[in-house]
Amino acid sequence: MKRRLGKLLLGWGIAGLPLILFGGGNLPAPSASIPAGSVPSFAGNAQHTAIYFPPVPNLNRIRWSTPIDLNNSATQAHYGAPLITAANTVLAPVKIAGDGFRVDALDGISGAAKYSLATDYVLPGHGWIPVYNPCLTTGSFGTRLYYAGPGGTVYHIDDPDSVGHGPAVQEVFYTTPANYLANAAAYNASVFINTPLTADSNGNVFFGFRVEGTAPSPLSTTQS
């Protein structure tokens, strides 16, 4: 949603205004009534059929709020949706200085900050600020959070409910991490993730990217 539409339930809002969490009671765990195979990620799947099944709590008051734009540049922006783990950790993408992004982890009941994940993600060329949206997956490794980095790379951490979560691991879809690091400046200047991240029930992560100028080998792709 664009910044001029106002603030809505669970994180949509105009630039500089907070993500709002409504309700008078404890939030139900998102996993309580979600069918097997559902994934708590952006829109649920490619068909955008995500539905939050537990009943909505009483909306008479704001339980807590948190900012999602710390650098209101007056540029129209589309903001990412917060993610909620089965253990009720809210993971909110936040726009920061320099049109950068970080991911804030908050307690779903109290709104208390748990930790923040810095990113070095770089926006593609834009007239309005596109969505920055991480995703969650589950598997034999437990719960994993994926979030976009620079040069078409993606980071992930395990155990996102814990302040002592696993280390950030950077993954590169088009080459090895070592090859990326050997020419990182060139990749970062030409390859950009430009969509939200989403995942299927098998833990596969999907996203779109674009090339501006000429990308180095092995992409060797040119776009004007």
Side-chain angles (χ1 to χ4, degrees):
M1 290 189 179
K2 291 187 178 180
R3 59 181 289 273
R4 302 190 186 280
L5 295 183
K7 58 179 181 291
L8 301 177
L9 179 65
L10 279 178
W12 304 89
I14 62 174
L17 290 183
L19 177 157
I20 303 294
L21 190 66
F22 293 90
N26 291 350
L27 291 180
S31 63
S33 304
I34 295 178
S38 295
V39 177
S41 63
F42 185 84
N45 53 41
Q47 288 71 42
H48 292 191
T49 60
I51 297 175
Y52 189 75
F53 288 91
V56 177
N58 189 309
L59 303 183
N60 286 339
R61 66 189 177 97
I62 296 173
R63 188 165 182 85
W64 57 265
S65 65
T66 188
I68 57 172
D69 190 337
L70 303 180
N71 182 43
N72 182 354
S73 60
T75 301
Q76 287 194 341
H78 288 201
Y79 293 106
L83 310 172
I84 305 175
T85 70
N88 211 2
T89 296
V90 176
L91 297 156
V94 178
K95 180 171 166 284
I96 60 174
D99 287 341
F101 292 85
R102 75 183 191 209
V103 180
D104 286 351
L106 307 110
D107 179 81
I109 299 299
S110 66
K114 300 177 78 169
Y115 62 86
S116 290
L117 294 171
T119 80
D120 47 3
Y121 172 75
V122 179
L123 284 169
H126 57 278
W128 51 267
I129 296 173
V131 174
Y132 183 87
N133 220 115
C135 70
L136 289 166
T137 66
T138 57
S140 59
F141 44 77
T143 301
R144 179 171 288 175
L145 173 71
Y146 285 89
Y147 53 103
T153 69
V154 175
Y155 293 99
H156 77 254
I157 64 164
D158 290 335
D159 195 16
D161 293 299
S162 173
V163 174
H165 56 77
V169 177
Q170 190 175 29
E171 301 183 8
V172 190
F173 73 91
Y174 51 83
T175 188
T176 66
N179 287 344
Y180 161 77
L181 291 173
N183 201 12
Y187 288 120
N188 294 350
S190 58
V191 186
F192 304 88
I193 291 176
N194 63 345
T195 68
L197 274 58
T198 190
D200 64 17
S201 58
N202 294 317
N204 299 307
V205 176
F206 300 87
F207 55 87
F209 73 100
R210 65 174 296 173
V211 170
E212 296 179 2
T214 301
S217 176
L219 289 176
S220 300
T221 299
T222 299
Q223 180 177 337
S224 58

